[in-house]
PDB file of all heavy atoms in Angstrom:
ATOM      1  N   VAL A  27       2.014 299.146 154.106  1.00 97.00           N
ATOM      2  CA  VAL A  27       0.626 299.185 154.425  1.00 97.00           C
ATOM      3  C   VAL A  27      -0.183 299.146 153.121  1.00 97.00           C
ATOM      4  O   VAL A  27      -1.092 298.400 152.908  1.00 97.00           O
ATOM      5  CB  VAL A  27       0.229 300.404 155.257  1.00 97.00           C
ATOM      6  CG1 VAL A  27      -1.369 300.559 155.287  1.00 97.00           C
ATOM      7  CG2 VAL A  27       0.721 300.345 156.653  1.00 97.00           C
ATOM      8  N   VAL A  28       0.260 299.875 152.059  1.00 97.00           N
ATOM      9  CA  VAL A  28      -0.384 299.880 150.733  1.00 97.00           C
ATOM     10  C   VAL A  28      -0.335 298.507 150.146  1.00 97.00           C
ATOM     11  O   VAL A  28      -1.310 298.000 149.626  1.00 97.00           O
ATOM     12  CB  VAL A  28       0.282 300.911 149.791  1.00 97.00           C
ATOM     13  CG1 VAL A  28      -0.221 300.761 148.442  1.00 97.00           C
ATOM     14  CG2 VAL A  28      -0.031 302.334 150.345  1.00 97.00           C
ATOM     15  N   ARG A  29       0.819 297.791 150.213  1.00 97.00           N
ATOM     16  CA  ARG A  29       0.974 296.565 149.588  1.00 97.00           C
ATOM     17  C   ARG A  29       0.088 295.519 150.251  1.00 97.00           C
ATOM     18  O   ARG A  29      -0.446 294.726 149.552  1.00 97.00           O
ATOM     19  CB  ARG A  29       2.481 296.106 149.674  1.00 97.00           C
ATOM     20  CG  ARG A  29       3.357 296.932 148.714  1.00 97.00           C
ATOM     21  CD  ARG A  29       4.803 296.483 148.846  1.00 97.00           C
ATOM     22  NE  ARG A  29       5.010 295.091 148.384  1.00 97.00           N
ATOM     23  CZ  ARG A  29       6.151 294.498 148.472  1.00 97.00           C
ATOM     24  NH1 ARG A  29       7.222 295.159 148.954  1.00 97.00           N
ATOM     25  NH2 ARG A  29       6.303 293.328 148.156  1.00 97.00           N
ATOM     26  N   VAL A  30       0.010 295.529 151.594  1.00 97.00           N
ATOM     27  CA  VAL A  30      -0.845 294.491 152.236  1.00 97.00           C
ATOM     28  C   VAL A  30      -2.264 294.825 152.163  1.00 97.00           C
ATOM     29  O   VAL A  30      -3.175 293.923 152.292  1.00 97.00           O
ATOM     30  CB  VAL A  30      -0.406 294.219 153.692  1.00 97.00           C
ATOM     31  CG1 VAL A  30       1.032 293.742 153.700  1.00 97.00           C
ATOM     32  CG2 VAL A  30      -0.620 295.383 154.626  1.00 97.00           C
ATOM     33  N   ILE A  31      -2.701 296.097 151.894  1.00 96.00           N
ATOM     34  CA  ILE A  31      -4.066 296.411 151.632  1.00 96.00           C
ATOM     35  C   ILE A  31      -4.477 295.768 150.227  1.00 96.00           C
ATOM     36  O   ILE A  31      -5.506 295.243 150.121  1.00 96.00           O
ATOM     37  CB  ILE A  31      -4.296 297.939 151.574  1.00 96.00           C
ATOM     38  CG1 ILE A  31      -4.301 298.427 153.019  1.00 96.00           C
ATOM     39  CG2 ILE A  31      -5.674 298.217 150.943  1.00 96.00           C
ATOM     40  CD1 ILE A  31      -4.387 299.968 153.179  1.00 96.00           C
ATOM     41  N   GLU A  32      -3.561 295.907 149.276  1.00 97.00           N
ATOM     42  CA  GLU A  32      -3.789 295.348 147.981  1.00 97.00           C
ATOM     43  C   GLU A  32      -3.851 293.873 147.984  1.00 97.00           C
ATOM     44  O   GLU A  32      -4.699 293.278 147.331  1.00 97.00           O
ATOM     45  CB  GLU A  32      -2.721 295.814 147.024  1.00 97.00           C
ATOM     46  CG  GLU A  32      -2.787 297.306 146.700  1.00 97.00           C
ATOM     47  CD  GLU A  32      -1.517 297.767 145.914  1.00 97.00           C
ATOM     48  OE1 GLU A  32      -0.582 297.048 145.799  1.00 97.00           O
ATOM     49  OE2 GLU A  32      -1.601 298.926 145.517  1.00 97.00           O
ATOM     50  N   ARG A  33      -3.041 293.198 148.818  1.00 96.00           N
ATOM     51  CA  ARG A  33      -2.893 291.736 148.877  1.00 96.00           C
ATOM     52  C   ARG A  33      -2.100 291.402 150.042  1.00 96.00           C
ATOM     53  O   ARG A  33      -0.995 291.875 150.299  1.00 96.00           O
ATOM     54  CB  ARG A  33      -2.296 291.247 147.627  1.00 96.00           C
ATOM     55  CG  ARG A  33      -2.308 289.750 147.480  1.00 96.00           C
ATOM     56  CD  ARG A  33      -1.730 289.282 146.118  1.00 96.00           C
ATOM     57  NE  ARG A  33      -0.286 289.534 145.944  1.00 96.00           N
ATOM     58  CZ  ARG A  33       0.667 288.743 146.509  1.00 96.00           C
ATOM     59  NH1 ARG A  33       0.322 287.768 147.235  1.00 96.00           N
ATOM     60  NH2 ARG A  33       1.965 289.087 146.250  1.00 96.00           N
ATOM     61  N   GLU A  34      -2.568 290.382 150.894  1.00 96.00           N
ATOM     62  CA  GLU A  34      -1.865 289.883 151.974  1.00 96.00           C
ATOM     63  C   GLU A  34      -0.519 289.265 151.431  1.00 96.00           C
ATOM     64  O   GLU A  34      -0.531 288.624 150.355  1.00 96.00           O
ATOM     65  CB  GLU A  34      -2.574 288.748 152.727  1.00 96.00           C
ATOM     66  CG  GLU A  34      -3.702 289.277 153.516  1.00 96.00           C
ATOM     67  CD  GLU A  34      -4.352 288.117 154.379  1.00 96.00           C
ATOM     68  OE1 GLU A  34      -4.481 287.007 153.742  1.00 96.00           O
ATOM     69  OE2 GLU A  34      -4.742 288.379 155.495  1.00 96.00           O
ATOM     70  N   CYS A  35       0.540 289.437 152.229  1.00 96.00           N
ATOM     71  CA  CYS A  35       1.897 288.981 151.741  1.00 96.00           C
ATOM     72  C   CYS A  35       2.593 288.371 152.999  1.00 96.00           C
ATOM     73  O   CYS A  35       2.349 288.804 154.104  1.00 96.00           O
ATOM     74  CB  CYS A  35       2.783 290.150 151.290  1.00 96.00           C
ATOM     75  SG  CYS A  35       2.083 291.098 149.921  1.00 96.00           S
ATOM     76  N   SER A  36       3.501 287.482 152.742  1.00 96.00           N
ATOM     77  CA  SER A  36       4.460 286.992 153.724  1.00 96.00           C
ATOM     78  C   SER A  36       5.448 288.053 153.984  1.00 96.00           C
ATOM     79  O   SER A  36       5.728 288.859 153.009  1.00 96.00           O
ATOM     80  CB  SER A  36       5.031 285.685 153.345  1.00 96.00           C
ATOM     81  OG  SER A  36       5.960 285.870 152.308  1.00 96.00           O
ATOM     82  N   VAL A  37       6.147 287.982 155.119  1.00 94.00           N
ATOM     83  CA  VAL A  37       7.231 288.987 155.345  1.00 94.00           C
ATOM     84  C   VAL A  37       8.318 288.744 154.342  1.00 94.00           C
ATOM     85  O   VAL A  37       8.948 289.615 153.843  1.00 94.00           O
ATOM     86  CB  VAL A  37       7.774 288.850 156.761  1.00 94.00           C
ATOM     87  CG1 VAL A  37       8.982 289.786 157.019  1.00 94.00           C
ATOM     88  CG2 VAL A  37       6.650 289.189 157.796  1.00 94.00           C
ATOM     89  N   SER A  38       8.589 287.397 153.960  1.00 94.00           N
ATOM     90  CA  SER A  38       9.648 287.155 152.920  1.00 94.00           C
ATOM     91  C   SER A  38       9.279 287.827 151.632  1.00 94.00           C
ATOM     92  O   SER A  38      10.138 288.361 150.935  1.00 94.00           O
ATOM     93  CB  SER A  38       9.735 285.635 152.689  1.00 94.00           C
ATOM     94  OG  SER A  38      10.062 284.978 153.945  1.00 94.00           O
TER      95      SER A  38
END
Side-chain angles (χ1 to χ4, degrees):
V27 170
V28 169
R29 288 178 63 187
V30 301
I31 286 172
E32 291 171 349
R33 186 175 69 77
E34 286 184 323
C35 303
S36 68
V37 178
S38 299

